[in-house]
Amino acid sequence: PVALANPPPPFPFTIQGDRFLSNGRPVFLNAIGYQPLEPGQAIDGEIRETRVRDDLRRWQAFQGGHDPVLVRAYAQPTARFPVRMPKSFYDGMRELGFWIVRDIYFQDNYEAGEAVAKGKAAVDAVLSEVSAVGGFDRIFAWEIGNEFRAETPAARAALENFVCAMAGHIRSRMTQPGREPFSTWVTWASWVRNDPMRSIGNPVLPACLDYISYNIYSYDPERLRDHQSGPITGRPYAGYLAALKERYP
């Protein structure tokens, strides 16, 4: 083996109990959802370099804070655009000191016989993009992006198995030689009604994840505005999040 002249620094984040730490310091994660498509563009359309660079310029206003900024990138590679998020995006994240939650999307029918094979191909396409632009050092986590719906016990079990199969494949790819300093974290963007507060005692809680991401909206769950006041902000939304955190095993 040959040592790299300038090896990348090790991944600085850890999880301790219910807190994220950066180099041992508890932090609050500030997240931005990012889909750089423009009005009228198809979901698989080309992402314009000028659009990305303009967004990077605007994000300079968020530099220098006490806590990390994460950018959740939605756009998926395609056969026509295998490097869908351009190198300038990953380089810009590095220059800003931001981190990326890289979404990976899958076919909706996770119970189909070919779902796992096609899912692995979707994982490999995203990892190939990040590898091609040298962006592994900016990845905070890999996110299974789909808000999959699972309405029955059998569907919930099948969904947990699928999510864990994808998580295992991501980790197998990210523990290959040369990728040791980089993040192997996997999360899932759970559909709001699969969370422990809304699934009537049958939440989808894959045990294979490093952390779970719940999509929670101001209008759903119902009566969210009637929830008890929460810590820090004193608002019902914060109260719902605190209750959800307590319910998570």
Side-chain angles (χ1 to χ4, degrees), residues 166-179:
M166 296 304 99
H169 186 64
I170 291 168
R171 293 191 182 105
S172 73
R173 291 292 194 238
M174 290 309 301
T175 53
Q176 291 177 351
R179 296 180 178 177

Side-chain angles (χ1 to χ4, degrees), residues 100-159:
I100 300 166
V101 176
R102 190 65 177 97
D103 267 29
I104 307 172
Y105 281 84
F106 306 91
Q107 65 177 40
D108 290 333
N109 187 3
Y110 53 85
E111 297 180 272
E114 72 278 7
V116 169
K118 289 186 175 181
K120 289 181 178 180
V123 168
D124 292 344
V126 171
L127 268 61
S128 292
E129 173 190 279
V130 180
S131 177
V133 299
F136 283 127
D137 64 309
R138 298 322 301 167
I139 299 297
F140 177 83
W142 308 95
E143 181 160 87
I144 297 171
N146 304 52
E147 287 185 291
F148 289 116
R149 299 192 180 200
E151 307 287 357
T152 67
R156 293 186 186 103
L159 178 52

Side-chain angles (χ1 to χ4, degrees), residues 3-247:
L4 297 176
N6 295 296
F11 185 60
F13 296 98
T14 54
I15 297 173
Q16 186 176 85
D18 60 358
R19 296 299 305 269
F20 289 97
L21 283 70
S22 176
N23 293 315
R25 177 179 67 86
V27 291
F28 180 86
L29 303 176
N30 301 278
I32 300 170
Y34 187 48
Q35 172 60 286
L37 291 175
E38 298 171 76
Q41 276 193 288
I43 193 67
D44 58 352
E46 182 178 10
I47 294 173
R48 292 197 310 130
E49 186 86 21
T50 52
R51 167 64 187 268
V52 171
R53 292 188 181 278
D54 190 48
D55 291 335
L56 291 169
R57 177 185 60 80
R58 296 171 189 273
W59 283 337
Q60 290 175 3
F62 299 105
Q63 278 185 287
H66 181 71
D67 292 316
V69 175
L70 311 183
V71 176
R72 179 185 173 190
Y74 301 104
Q76 299 297 290
T78 67
R80 184 182 177 191
F81 305 113
V83 179
R84 188 87 181 288
M85 293 299 292
K87 187 175 186 299
S88 59
F89 169 70
Y90 295 90
D91 291 345
M93 293 292 99
R94 187 179 300 106
E95 292 169 7
L96 290 168
F98 292 0
W99 292 84
I100 300 166
V101 176
R102 190 65 177 97
D103 267 29
I104 307 172
Y105 281 84
F106 306 91
Q107 65 177 40
D108 290 333
N109 187 3
Y110 53 85
E111 297 180 272
E114 72 278 7
V116 169
K118 289 186 175 181
K120 289 181 178 180
V123 168
D124 292 344
V126 171
L127 268 61
S128 292
E129 173 190 279
V130 180
S131 177
V133 299
F136 283 127
D137 64 309
R138 298 322 301 167
I139 299 297
F140 177 83
W142 308 95
E143 181 160 87
I144 297 171
N146 304 52
E147 287 185 291
F148 289 116
R149 299 192 180 200
E151 307 287 357
T152 67
R156 293 186 186 103
L159 178 52
E160 289 187 11
N161 289 337
F162 177 78
V163 168
C164 287
M166 296 304 99
H169 186 64
I170 291 168
R171 293 191 182 105
S172 73
R173 291 292 194 238
M174 290 309 301
T175 53
Q176 291 177 351
R179 296 180 178 177
E180 293 87 350
F182 307 128
S183 175
T184 61
W185 281 5
V186 183
T187 185
W188 168 47
S190 173
W191 185 44
V192 60
R193 298 187 183 188
N194 287 334
D195 76 43
M197 303 285 282
R198 285 291 299 272
S199 54
I200 317 175
N202 292 301
V204 180
L205 300 171
C208 55
L209 301 173
D210 294 282
Y211 66 93
I212 195 164
S213 301
Y214 288 111
N215 284 309
I216 301 170
Y217 307 101
S218 60
Y219 55 85
D220 191 7
E222 297 174 3
R223 303 184 65 82
L224 177 63
R225 289 171 291 184
D226 297 334
H227 212 276
Q228 63 185 356
S229 297
I232 303 176
T233 66
R235 297 183 179 276
Y237 184 77
Y240 184 88
L241 296 180
L244 174 61
K245 184 176 176 182
E246 289 178 1
R247 289 282 296 275

